Amino acid sequence: MTSPAPVVLAFLDPAFPDGRVADAAKPQLLVTDLGVTRGDGVFETMLAVGGTVRKMQAHLDRLAGSAAALDLAIPDQDAWRRVIAAAVDRFRSENPPADPAADELVVKLVVTRGVEGEAPTAWVQAAPAGAAGRRQRETGIDVILLDRGYDSDVAERAPWLLLGAKTLSYAVNMAALRHAHKQGADDVIFLSSDGRVLEGPTSTVLLAHVEQSDDGTTVKRLITPQLDSGILAGTSQGALFAAAKAAGWELGYGPLEPRDLMDADAVWLISSVRLLAPVNRIDGKEIGTPSVQKELTAELSGLFAGIH
C-alpha cells in the first residue's frame, strides 16, 4: 500500500499569499538553486496531530534564528502560518485519516537561498508520519556514541560553523545514522572531542535520575546537555522541561559525559516527530532499570502529549 502523496505549497509569490500548490511528483527546484548545490538554507520539521501543529511558535522562532545566522531573508511568521494551515487542511481533505490514533502529519518548512542573485525559495510540505517513529517511541532504541570531531567550545570560537542553526547541510548527520545502522544500532549520540555529550543527529539528549530525599520524598531530575556546547536548541526539550517543572521535576543542564548517560536511571532521544524515544542500550550496555525507564517514559510522554 503506497502512502498518500505529500502536499507541497510553494510561496514567496505575492500572487499566492496562501501558497501555490506544487506537484510533489514533479521537479520544482532549479538545478542552480543554492540549496541544492551548496546546502545553503534552513528548515524546520513539525508534527501535526489531529490537524493541529504542535509547538508552531517555537519552530517559527527557531527558523527565524537559523535564518538570521545565515543572513537569509525568509517570509514573516504570519505568512508561514497561513501556508502551514493551508497545507495541513489540503492534505487532510484529500486524505481523510482512517485511523484517528495514527492521525499524524510531518510538516516541513524549507527556505533555500535560491538561484544566485534571485529571491530565496520557500515552501511547506505536509506528508504522513512514518511508522518507524511511532514504533521507536514504544519499543525504544539502541544507540552508539560517535565523536563529532570538534571540542565543546568551538561554537563560541567559530560562529561561522553554524552549529546552533538548523541548516540544510545534514550530510554528516545522515552519514552518522547510516554508520549506526551498519553497526546494528538505531541512532547516535554525538560526543565532542573533549568528551562532552552533545546531541543526536536529529534529536536532543535527555537523562533522568530518581532519588529519595532525607524526608523520604521522591525527587525526579531531568537533565540535558548545555546549549553553549554547540548543539541545536531543541523545541521539544524546551517544551517538555516547562511541563516537567510544572509537574514537580527538578531540571538541570550539563556539562555531561558518557558516564552520566551510563549511570542514569533513564535516557531518551527527543524530537518533534519521533517524540520521546527511550534509549535501551548505549554501545551495547543496558541503560537504567527497565521498569523505572518504563514508568518515567509513561509520565513524561503524558506531559509531552499535553503540549501544543
Side-chain angles (χ1 to χ4, degrees), residues 181-266:
H181 297 162
K182 291 174 183 176
Q183 309 305 311
D186 302 298
D187 214 316
V188 168
I189 293 176
F190 283 125
L191 303 178
S192 65
S193 59
D194 53 342
R196 298 288 176 84
V197 174
L198 298 174
E199 60 191 342
T202 63
S203 58
T204 304
V205 178
L206 299 177
L207 63 85
H209 288 287
V210 180
E211 302 168 354
Q212 295 296 317
S213 66
D214 293 339
D215 62 4
T217 59
T218 300
V219 177
K220 292 174 287 189
R221 184 175 295 109
L222 194 59
I223 307 171
T224 195
Q226 58 193 44
L227 290 178
D228 61 5
S229 58
I231 65 175
L232 182 70
T235 61
S236 296
Q237 171 267 315
L240 182 58
F241 261 42
K245 182 178 181 180
W249 286 64
E250 293 186 358
L251 307 178
Y253 293 85
L256 299 174
E257 299 178 355
R259 65 184 178 187
D260 296 310
L261 299 175
M262 302 301 184
D263 293 341
D265 290 309

Side-chain angles (χ1 to χ4, degrees), residues 13-224:
D13 185 339
F16 299 93
D18 294 330
R20 170 182 56 82
V21 179
D23 188 343
K26 295 181 179 179
Q28 299 295 332
L29 288 179
L30 294 173
V31 295
T32 51
D33 190 296
L34 295 175
V36 175
T37 60
R38 295 180 181 172
D40 193 354
V42 296
F43 76 103
E44 283 290 326
T45 305
M46 309 181 294
L47 184 69
V49 179
T52 300
V53 177
R54 291 165 53 92
K55 303 185 281 85
M56 187 188 298
Q57 187 62 53
H59 283 285
L60 292 176
D61 289 344
R62 190 169 68 178
L63 184 73
S66 297
L70 273 69
D71 296 319
L72 181 62
I74 66 171
D76 63 42
Q77 292 191 355
D78 287 342
W80 283 113
R81 289 180 180 277
R82 288 196 303 272
V83 179
I84 290 166
V88 171
D89 289 348
R90 187 178 183 94
F91 186 95
R92 287 169 58 80
S93 66
E94 294 178 356
N95 307 278
D99 180 5
D103 184 9
E104 296 182 352
L105 294 180
V106 176
V107 181
K108 183 169 286 190
L109 320 180
V110 186
V111 186
T112 79
R113 202 168 297 277
V115 176
E116 192 163 0
E118 299 185 13
T121 304
W123 70 92
V124 173
Q125 175 180 307
R134 290 193 294 272
R135 184 173 63 251
Q136 290 184 352
R137 295 174 208 163
E138 299 169 358
T139 63
I141 54 178
D142 292 348
V143 308
I144 59 174
L145 302 177
L146 292 183
D147 185 351
R148 205 171 197 177
Y150 54 76
D151 64 61
S152 57
D153 295 326
V154 71
E156 184 175 351
R157 295 197 315 272
W160 52 86
L161 293 179
L162 302 174
L163 296 180
K166 196 172 180 68
T167 74
L168 294 176
S169 304
Y170 257 49
V172 170
N173 292 14
M174 297 302 99
L177 287 175
R178 289 192 297 271
H179 178 77
H181 297 162
K182 291 174 183 176
Q183 309 305 311
D186 302 298
D187 214 316
V188 168
I189 293 176
F190 283 125
L191 303 178
S192 65
S193 59
D194 53 342
R196 298 288 176 84
V197 174
L198 298 174
E199 60 191 342
T202 63
S203 58
T204 304
V205 178
L206 299 177
L207 63 85
H209 288 287
V210 180
E211 302 168 354
Q212 295 296 317
S213 66
D214 293 339
D215 62 4
T217 59
T218 300
V219 177
K220 292 174 287 189
R221 184 175 295 109
L222 194 59
I223 307 171
T224 195

